[in-house]
Amino acid sequence: MTAQHPLTYEAFVGLATADPDVLGLVLKGSQAHEGMVTEHSDHDLYVVLADSATTELTRFTGHRAPELDLVIVSLTEFRAAGMPGFERYALARAKIVLDRLDGGIAQILAAKARLGTDEAFQDASRWLDAYANSLYRSVKNDRDGHSLAARLDAADSIRFLLELLFALDRRPRPYNKYLEWELTRFPLPGWDADELLASVDRIARTGDVRLQRDLFTRVEAEARRAGYSTVLDAWGEDLDLMRPQ
């Protein structure tokens, strides 16, 4: 393809579908999220090749254009658990365009959409501690009159909170762009999506200490039920500052 005739999504899908070395095509990003496509949305496409592939389509490796971005990988690479972490959510909600493995591509995506039991426990422990740390700093800074620091720490705590809540449900956290989309369609167990989003919005904007403490009460109870008391108890008496006064 030339600059005058750039490679389009439809044209590439036609080439790939006709090539037996292509085992799967997986569309991610806005085009895979109903209602999120805008005039600026491109097509982000994973191209999964047979491990022994000799296809000439490899010439498109690294192709990036306003219309189409391609990631060309072998089946072994696509299957690998060590796919970049930032891609985990993208693949969790991706759409399958082609699956020549009789559902095998779908099975790989389904596995990526769920954190392993040990993985989820370790991640949740880490995010819980990080959330408590930022929350503690926020309420302490507010107490001591450091309003900007308090708001910044509150905003930091929201990032860790969301990572924690999704890890508790063994799901990768969505990108901020897709947070509302995800929560309204796939709510977190026990959480009202609208209420959670409203709390997240207010805390990130204002650092509302009372709301932070109220939210922590719910998180602490859920974390203890899920077996993370050791992480919380390590904070000792500092927990009192995080709880409602």
Side-chain angles (χ1 to χ4, degrees), residues 3-144:
Q4 290 75 26
H5 300 284
L7 180 64
T8 66
Y9 170 74
E10 291 78 10
F12 183 83
V13 168
L15 290 172
T17 301
D19 191 325
D21 277 341
V22 177
L23 301 181
L25 296 173
V26 176
L27 184 66
K28 63 171 186 159
S30 298
Q31 297 285 352
H33 288 73
E34 182 181 357
M36 294 297 292
V37 177
T38 73
E39 61 181 312
H40 306 293
S41 299
D42 62 358
H43 292 79
D44 295 294
L45 191 68
Y46 264 85
V47 184
V48 184
L49 303 180
D51 289 337
S52 58
T54 58
T55 175
E56 292 185 0
L57 291 182
T58 54
R59 72 185 186 275
F60 293 114
T61 298
H63 177 87
R64 292 181 63 85
E67 158 74 8
L68 178 65
D69 288 350
L70 298 176
V71 179
I72 300 179
V73 295
S74 69
L75 178 60
T76 296
E77 290 170 332
F78 189 67
R79 216 182 240 130
M83 290 287 285
F86 60 84
E87 286 288 77
R88 190 75 177 265
Y89 175 75
L91 291 171
R93 294 299 177 209
K95 286 186 177 180
I96 297 172
V97 179
L98 175 68
D99 186 346
R100 281 204 172 100
L101 298 180
D102 297 325
I105 298 295
Q107 290 177 0
I108 293 171
L109 290 180
K112 292 183 183 300
R114 297 290 292 169
L115 305 183
T117 302
D118 291 342
E119 177 187 16
F121 189 85
Q122 292 173 8
D123 284 356
S125 296
R126 178 164 53 93
W127 295 125
L128 174 59
D129 194 50
Y131 166 58
N133 182 59
S134 288
L135 170 62
Y136 176 72
R137 290 177 181 275
S138 179
V139 296
K140 186 172 67 169
N141 280 323
D142 179 79
R143 178 199 65 190
D144 296 340

Side-chain angles (χ1 to χ4, degrees), residues 98-227:
L98 175 68
D99 186 346
R100 281 204 172 100
L101 298 180
D102 297 325
I105 298 295
Q107 290 177 0
I108 293 171
L109 290 180
K112 292 183 183 300
R114 297 290 292 169
L115 305 183
T117 302
D118 291 342
E119 177 187 16
F121 189 85
Q122 292 173 8
D123 284 356
S125 296
R126 178 164 53 93
W127 295 125
L128 174 59
D129 194 50
Y131 166 58
N133 182 59
S134 288
L135 170 62
Y136 176 72
R137 290 177 181 275
S138 179
V139 296
K140 186 172 67 169
N141 280 323
D142 179 79
R143 178 199 65 190
D144 296 340
H146 304 302
S147 58
L148 175 59
R151 292 195 303 274
L152 291 174
D153 286 325
D156 286 345
S157 77
I158 291 302
R159 173 200 166 198
F160 302 131
L161 170 64
L162 292 172
E163 295 280 7
L164 167 63
L165 294 182
F166 279 95
L168 288 172
D169 196 34
R170 294 180 54 191
R171 290 156 60 183
R173 176 196 161 178
Y175 309 143
N176 292 332
K177 178 179 180 179
Y178 301 121
L179 178 62
E180 293 182 62
W181 187 97
E182 180 75 15
L183 287 176
T184 54
R185 289 164 175 78
F186 306 97
L188 291 163
W191 291 88
D192 179 273
D194 290 337
E195 289 181 4
L196 178 58
L197 287 168
S199 295
V200 164
D201 178 33
R202 181 164 179 78
I203 291 170
R205 285 187 297 106
T206 70
D208 186 321
V209 170
R210 181 177 178 180
L211 183 56
Q212 287 193 74
R213 285 171 165 153
D214 288 344
L215 188 57
F216 179 71
T217 298
R218 285 200 59 186
V219 174
E220 180 180 10
E222 182 170 334
R224 290 190 183 281
R225 283 194 299 270

